[in-house]
Amino acid sequence: MATPKPTDNQSHKLLGRLSLPERRFVADALRAETVGGVLLLVVAIAALIWANTPPLAESYKSVRDFHIGPASLGLDLSIQHWAADGLLAVFFFVAGIELKRELVAGDLRDPKAAALPVIAAVCGMAVPAGVYALVNTLGNGSQAGWAVPTATDIAFALAVLAVIGTSLPSALRAFLLTLAVVDDLFAIIIIAVFFTNEIDFLAFGGAVVGLVLFWFLLRRGVRGWYVYVPLALVIWGLMYNSGVHATIAGVAMGLMLRCHTKEGEQQSPGEHIEHLVRPVSAGLAVPLFALFSAGVSLSDESIGQVFTRPETLGVVLGLVVGKTVGIFGGTWLAARFTKAELNDDLAWPDVLAVASLAGIGFTVSLLIGELAFAGDPVLTDEIKAAVLIGSLIAAIISCVLLKLRDRKYRALTEAEERDEDQDGIPDIYEEHNPAYHLRMAKIYEERASEHRRKADAAAHAASEAAAGASNEADRPA
């Protein structure tokens, strides 16, 4: 993500106006995420229908649990397992590229700019984990699922915005996107640290050697998918057999890509590869994971257990209450202790609405739920149901809050996009450019001349009409 450049005093404020390059990047990135999110929403609904329709439910389980793969390589996995460990490695590969770009060319490169999303993300993960822990301490439940409500699904959140037809101002959209990137970083750390039980050091060493070779080839400028794709598959297989979650291989390879441009380059290799791989991630990998992970039973009994069992109740409250309180509180603390003022165009209810929107957890929450309760398939399905229900409640609350400010958001968005001189740059970014004002003066002078000409023509026509009426009146009957 390009580093924001000050355009006016708003750029120094909390959630201030983005620079033009930053605004364009955010718009492109969120457009792609929104399309993927809508597809994800459709697939999740399809999975629920497939798994909860009596004549089809058995076929769903059969397909989900069908095993395929070379057993000799330790890869005789179920379809669901391939989706979670295999396809999601593509998703985390894209997340690794996004994180690398943020660290070298985006908001996270500047400690001052990084403070807000980092503090908000940390609080937005710590508070839900605390809510889950508190609920399960009081209810004598398992603490194994503390990490489930900590993740935000940016694609699903944007799909909700697309469905309700709300357009957030660019500053709030950028905040949500950067927040999700930092959120993904901590989710990756949680998966690597807390869900690795035993390590096969021989396989892990092989994966590390593969990653070193991957890095060396990149630095030597070697090109060709036929080199990197087979190498990536080998690294993934070794990482899987090492006991470390295989998606970590995807993240590591994404972080190795160069995400800054050199002289003569229009985009970095990392950005180029991300544009190629993102459609595969958003259009295939994540939807297939959702198809075989979101299909849980939603009978009256199972829904009732979501609100009575401490593990599932902790997930719901973590997503709905913990995320909102954590992100809003973290943002307020960042403003309080840095003495930064909120953007004049926004208000704290806007931050609250975005914080509640971040309570939509899907992809990573479902993955962590599978890892946390791997030995208990019944509880795993109940945790997944809790993720879906908690995300739905968070979506409804955020929709209500966002709709209350929708008129304001539309006005801000229209102001950001207005381009009266039609030079391809929104007028709001040219307020301090003398050439812009000269162009606008010429445009208004031309419009004024046109209106004077029309006024003269209208007056002449009215005069002729009046004269004609007078002559008609004077004519003998």
Side-chain angles (χ1 to χ4, degrees):
M1 191 176 293
T3 303
K5 297 177 178 61
T7 56
D8 53 33
N9 60 355
Q10 287 197 48
S11 61
H12 300 288
K13 292 192 174 185
L14 196 66
L15 300 179
R17 184 185 305 153
L18 303 179
S19 68
L20 184 58
E22 175 76 351
R23 182 180 178 275
R24 285 173 172 166
F25 170 78
V26 169
D28 290 341
L30 293 186
R31 192 177 298 113
E33 290 282 6
T34 301
V35 173
V38 172
L39 177 60
L40 190 61
L41 182 60
V42 171
V43 170
I45 294 172
L48 289 171
I49 294 173
W50 188 4
N52 288 277
T53 303
L56 302 176
E58 282 303 317
S59 66
Y60 177 82
K61 293 179 181 178
S62 298
V63 173
R64 184 190 63 187
D65 298 335
F66 181 77
H67 277 63
I68 189 172
S72 59
L73 298 178
L75 297 175
D76 182 20
L77 311 177
S78 67
I79 296 296
Q80 182 183 18
H81 206 163
W82 274 111
D85 281 35
L87 292 177
L88 275 196
V90 179
F91 167 79
F92 278 101
F93 175 71
V94 174
I97 299 175
E98 291 176 341
L99 176 60
K100 177 67 172 291
R101 185 182 52 234
E102 283 287 331
L103 291 170
V104 302
D107 284 350
L108 300 183
R109 181 181 64 173
D110 179 5
K112 291 183 179 179
L116 173 61
V118 169
I119 292 173
V122 170
C123 293
M125 299 186 82
V127 175
V131 169
Y132 178 94
L134 177 62
V135 171
N136 282 272
T137 298
L138 297 176
N140 295 319
S142 170
Q143 298 289 349
W146 64 269
V148 175
T150 61
T152 294
D153 195 306
I154 181 67
F156 226 113
L158 293 172
V160 170
L161 290 179
V163 169
I164 66 174
T166 294
S167 178
L168 290 180
S170 59
L172 288 178
R173 285 180 286 165
F175 174 63
L176 184 61
L177 182 61
T178 308
L179 186 73
V181 172
V182 179
D183 194 286
D184 284 343
L185 167 63
F186 287 105
I188 291 163
I189 294 173
I190 287 172
I191 291 172
V193 174
F194 294 98
F195 296 102
T196 299
N197 296 322
E198 297 181 1
I199 298 179
D200 182 330
F201 288 99
L202 182 61
F204 184 73
V208 171
V209 170
L211 288 171
V212 171
L213 178 59
F214 189 88
W215 175 86
F216 178 77
L217 293 174
L218 287 173
R219 292 302 173 270
R220 297 293 295 178
V222 176
R223 297 185 179 184
W225 65 268
Y226 47 83
V227 174
Y228 291 102
V229 172
L231 179 58
L233 291 175
V234 171
I235 294 170
W236 176 87
L238 289 169
M239 189 69 75
Y240 175 82
N241 281 285
S242 73
V244 177
H245 199 269
T247 54
I248 302 302
V251 176
M253 287 183 279
L255 288 170
M256 290 180 181
L257 294 175
R258 178 167 60 83
C259 291
H260 62 275
T261 57
K262 293 182 177 180
E263 187 176 352
E265 289 183 338
Q266 291 186 341
Q267 61 178 187
S268 67
E271 290 174 311
H272 175 67
I273 293 173
E274 182 188 6
H275 286 311
L276 294 176
V277 179
R278 183 183 288 277
V280 178
S281 172
L284 179 66
V286 177
L288 282 177
F289 167 76
L291 181 64
F292 295 110
S293 290
V296 296
S297 173
L298 291 180
S299 63
D300 293 341
E301 181 181 356
S302 63
I303 293 175
Q305 287 181 334
V306 166
F307 296 99
T308 56
R309 187 162 184 163
E311 293 89 350
T312 51
L313 181 61
V315 170
V316 173
L317 292 179
L319 289 171
V320 177
V321 178
K323 272 289 185 182
T324 304
V325 172
I327 293 174
F328 181 83
T331 307
W332 184 86
L333 288 172
R336 173 70 176 81
F337 290 103
T338 62
K339 297 182 179 179
E341 296 180 5
L342 190 64
N343 183 353
D344 294 335
D345 294 330
L346 301 173
W348 284 108
D350 299 319
V351 180
L352 182 66
V354 171
S356 64
L357 187 65
I360 300 174
F362 187 75
T363 306
V364 178
S365 290
L366 292 177
L367 175 61
I368 294 177
E370 291 180 0
L371 297 174
F373 299 101
D376 190 340
V378 174
L379 183 53
T380 298
D381 280 352
E382 291 177 354
I383 289 292
K384 290 180 181 180
V387 170
L388 296 176
I389 292 172
S391 298
L392 177 61
I393 295 173
I396 293 172
I397 294 173
S398 63
C399 286
V400 173
L401 295 176
L402 291 169
K403 276 298 182 183
L404 292 175
R405 297 277 290 172
D406 190 49
R407 183 177 298 179
K408 178 69 173 178
Y409 294 155
R410 291 187 183 277
L412 291 174
T413 303
E414 288 175 5
E416 290 179 352
E417 295 176 350
R418 187 177 297 116
D419 183 17
E420 290 191 74
D421 61 343
Q422 297 183 346
D423 64 344
I425 300 175
D427 297 338
I428 200 169
Y429 290 95
E430 298 189 286
E431 294 173 344
H432 303 292
N433 184 358
Y436 160 75
H437 292 288
L438 291 175
R439 287 196 302 271
M440 290 305 301
K442 183 179 180 180
I443 290 172
Y444 284 129
E445 287 168 1
E446 292 174 352
R447 290 179 182 175
S449 298
E450 179 66 15
H451 282 293
R452 290 191 190 98
R453 187 189 65 77
K454 290 181 178 180
D456 291 342
H460 180 70
S463 177
E464 287 185 347
S470 177
N471 291 337
E472 188 68 26
D474 293 339
R475 184 178 300 172

